[in-house]
Amino acid sequence: MTMLDRPNRTGVSAPSIEGGVARPNLITVEQAKAMSIGDITTAFKDHLNPGQLHFMKLLGFHKVKIESAEGMYYTDQNGRKILDFFGGFGSLAFGHNHPRILEARQKFQDEKRHEIAIAFMSQYASALAKNIAACSPADLDMVFLGSSGSEAMEAAVKLAERAAGPKRPKVVYAENSFHGKTKGVLAITDGQLYRAEFRVADNTVRVPFADIQAVENAFKSDPEIGVIVLETILGGGGIIQAPAEYWQQLRALCDRYGVLWVADEVQCGYGRSGRFYAFEHYGVIPDVTALAKSLGAGKAAVGAMIARRDVYMKAYGTSKTAMIHAMATFGGMGEACVTAIEGINVLYDDHLIDRAADSGDYLLERLQALKEKYPKIIKDVRGKGLMVGLEFQDFSQTLPMVLRPVVSVLDDKLKGSLSGFIGALLLRDYDVLVAFTEYNRNVIRLEPPLICERAHVDQFIAALDELLGRGIVHIVKDFLGSQIGG
């Protein structure tokens, strides 16, 4: 439908309210729970995202209706248990429906405690901020609470830009970075898919990730640069790390040139790497950082910006500036904060950061063994803790030598096909769910809950080993067969 053939929406009569406002045809909670796959598909296509449905159908994900979830597993409409190695892009540190998290939320509801109390100070928001500061090194102790990673990063970049001052408005970001889809951070999210034709802020400078010389050249050549924003581990870029020396040199460069460093820890933070923050592995501390994902303990939408006190006070430290970026309506909501407070306590009480390090090392070890077993299929294995990338070879490299020159011209168009085939078949045939990355489509992203044990790793590895053992020809045939079969 174009602008010219839209129905006329002017001169429409106001609905009659005689006898009260009529009730539309609404779905109840119980009816929603009972919806069939067909009903869900229709509603998704008609009212959510018909284009996304296309990709779900390719992977076979549209056939699954999740009825419940607990620990490391989903349960679908057929009673099938699905091992979750996707983890909601790192949002499920505690797995699904952790009993302590449920209990804290239920108690909050039973006691009818306040949810929104914007006019007053909140004991729950204050306690959560104090807890986050306690988990953060050095003087990272000023906290802004929001509802998402994008919101936390928006707050981080705005604060850093204000603290840097009006004479230094430029922001450096890295190639293949992902910092969110909202309009502000879209300018430092390096993906044309997300940027589309939106007009984004032009006060940005792009550099290669992990290239310290490029950073120094930028700082030297442009005195207007006041901020650099980097993911400590590139998530959407394919689970890419920089060496410790890079981060140490970056910290030194920022200090020398007076540039504020914002570390995006939305995905790699909160214990996932085997430390509370991934940057702690490298003995450095940024000026501003951000958390989200698992901060809400899998039951609430919570994001947080954490800044050095002096940086925060420079940006918002007076009565005239304090409200420039104060919490929004749903920042610091009562039950969300209680959920996050309990989550942080569980994180340490259950030693989940240590678990992430141990299970992550074991996962990498088992995947490395598969790489050695299937060198024509697996190109690389990398990651830290339970943030792991499994990269497959370009399609041509998996084929017999005689076919490679012919097929290699199609490698770019076929990127992501093998990871898609394997992801789809892992779910269909082995009840295992994995994720993918935005920029390197050959990479499967593994971010299971931090409660993951070695037995769960063994289950995943056994499934992947058996699947890869079929060989590429059979993997392709089996995937195509699943498409033909609906």
Side-chain angles (χ1 to χ4, degrees):
M1 184 179 292
T2 68
M3 292 290 289
L4 297 178
D5 58 15
R6 284 180 177 172
N8 182 15
R9 291 188 175 92
T10 62
V12 178
S13 300
S16 170
I17 58 171
E18 184 177 346
V21 176
R23 184 183 191 276
N25 185 20
L26 301 174
I27 297 172
T28 67
V29 171
E30 287 303 311
Q31 287 170 336
K33 178 182 175 183
M35 286 173 74
S36 68
I37 286 287
D39 290 338
I40 297 169
T41 301
T42 299
F44 192 99
K45 180 176 64 177
D46 291 348
H47 304 293
L48 278 174
N49 194 327
Q52 185 179 354
L53 183 61
H54 164 76
F55 295 104
M56 296 179 79
K57 285 183 174 179
L58 279 178
L59 294 167
F61 289 5
H62 70 299
K63 300 176 183 178
V64 178
K65 176 188 175 185
I66 298 301
E67 296 288 1
S68 63
E70 184 175 4
M72 289 289 297
Y73 296 90
Y74 290 102
T75 301
D76 75 359
Q77 72 273 27
N78 301 312
R80 174 174 66 143
K81 289 193 175 298
I82 299 169
L83 179 64
D84 186 3
F85 259 59
F86 172 12
F89 294 117
S91 298
L92 292 161
F94 308 99
H96 300 272
N97 290 306
H98 190 286
R100 274 184 60 178
I101 304 299
L102 294 181
E103 183 180 356
R105 289 171 64 84
Q106 189 62 56
K107 186 175 182 181
F108 184 94
Q109 295 167 24
D110 291 345
E111 294 177 358
K112 297 182 180 177
R113 288 182 255 168
H114 63 268
E115 188 66 83
I116 298 176
I118 299 170
F120 310 103
M121 290 187 293
S122 165
Q123 61 267 54
Y124 308 117
S126 300
L128 175 57
K130 185 173 176 61
N131 277 356
I132 292 171
C135 295
S136 304
D139 53 352
L140 286 170
D141 54 12
M142 297 300 292
V143 177
F144 168 89
L145 297 174
S147 303
S148 69
S150 290
E151 188 181 358
M153 285 304 299
E154 293 275 3
V157 175
K158 285 180 68 178
L159 179 137
E161 185 178 328
R162 271 193 61 80
K167 293 183 179 180
R168 306 188 69 177
K170 291 189 178 180
V171 180
V172 175
Y173 71 99
E175 292 176 0
N176 293 327
S177 60
F178 182 90
H179 298 291
K181 299 176 187 175
T182 50
K183 195 74 184 307
V185 291
L186 198 58
I188 54 172
T189 289
D190 186 41
Q192 193 54 45
L193 169 66
Y194 302 117
R195 288 191 175 196
E197 288 80 39
F198 295 113
R199 183 171 181 176
V200 298
D202 59 4
N203 62 326
T204 58
V205 177
R206 181 172 176 262
V207 297
F209 182 70
D211 185 337
I212 198 65
Q213 191 59 57
V215 173
E216 184 167 13
N217 291 343
F219 287 3
K220 276 183 179 178
S221 63
D222 194 342
E224 290 192 344
I225 290 173
V227 180
I228 184 168
V229 183
L230 298 168
E231 293 168 88
T232 313
I233 300 174
L234 285 185
I239 318 298
I240 305 296
Q241 300 174 74
E245 307 83 68
Y246 172 82
W247 298 109
Q248 292 158 6
Q249 292 169 5
L250 176 73
R251 179 69 273 177
L253 281 177
C254 288
D255 292 341
R256 186 188 315 161
Y257 288 92
V259 174
L260 295 173
W261 167 26
V262 177
D264 184 342
E265 293 260 341
V266 166
Q267 189 171 159
C268 63
Y270 201 79
R272 179 152 295 279
S273 73
R275 297 286 183 91
F276 189 82
Y277 293 105
F279 61 72
E280 292 181 278
H281 288 282
Y282 310 117
V284 290
I285 301 172
D287 302 293
V288 186
T289 188
L291 295 169
K293 302 294 186 187
S294 288
L295 184 58
K299 299 299 288 186
V302 184
M305 174 212 74
I306 310 96
R308 283 173 32 205
R309 185 176 186 83
D310 62 324
V311 174
Y312 181 92
M313 295 302 287
K314 191 172 182 180
Y316 305 131
T318 70
S319 58
K320 290 183 178 180
T321 60
M323 301 305 292
I324 290 175
H325 201 90
M327 281 193 296
T329 305
F330 300 120
M333 287 181 71
E335 189 174 330
C337 287
V338 164
T339 304
I341 290 168
E342 185 69 359
I344 290 176
N345 279 275
V346 172
L347 185 71
Y348 286 96
D349 290 347
D350 290 359
H351 307 287
L352 294 184
I353 299 177
D354 296 328
R355 175 85 62 84
D358 178 73
S359 294
D361 286 346
Y362 184 61
L363 175 59
L364 287 166
E365 177 188 321
R366 296 296 311 275
L367 286 172
Q368 187 62 39
L370 286 188
K371 177 178 179 292
E372 293 169 6
K373 185 176 181 180
Y374 303 105
K376 292 182 180 179
I377 301 177
I378 298 177
K379 179 178 182 180
D380 194 23
V381 172
R382 55 183 177 264
K384 193 174 286 291
L386 287 174
M387 186 172 181
V388 173
L390 174 62
E391 184 174 1
F392 295 104
Q393 301 280 6
D394 283 334
F395 209 87
S396 64
Q397 300 304 304
T398 69
L399 301 174
M401 191 68 71
V402 68
L403 296 175
R404 290 182 186 179
V406 179
V407 179
S408 64
V409 297
L410 299 173
D411 274 339
D412 191 56
K413 291 185 178 180
L414 291 172
K415 266 196 185 303
S417 56
L418 183 54
S419 60
F421 298 164
I422 290 170
L425 293 173
L426 279 172
L427 178 63
R428 189 193 76 174
D429 297 344
Y430 299 96
D431 307 333
V432 174
L433 179 66
V434 297
F436 310 94
T437 61
E438 287 90 341
Y439 302 135
N440 186 342
R441 294 169 308 204
N442 282 348
V443 177
I444 278 181
R445 178 179 352 205
L446 305 172
E447 296 183 2
L450 306 191
I451 63 170
C452 179
E453 298 179 351
R454 291 188 171 211
H456 300 120
V457 173
D458 289 340
Q459 181 183 344
F460 166 71
I461 293 295
L464 182 61
D465 188 9
E466 186 174 315
L467 175 56
L468 297 182
R470 299 181 191 181
I472 291 300
V473 172
H474 282 288
I475 287 172
V476 174
K477 286 174 64 177
D478 290 344
F479 174 80
L480 293 177
S482 72
Q483 296 296 300
I484 296 169

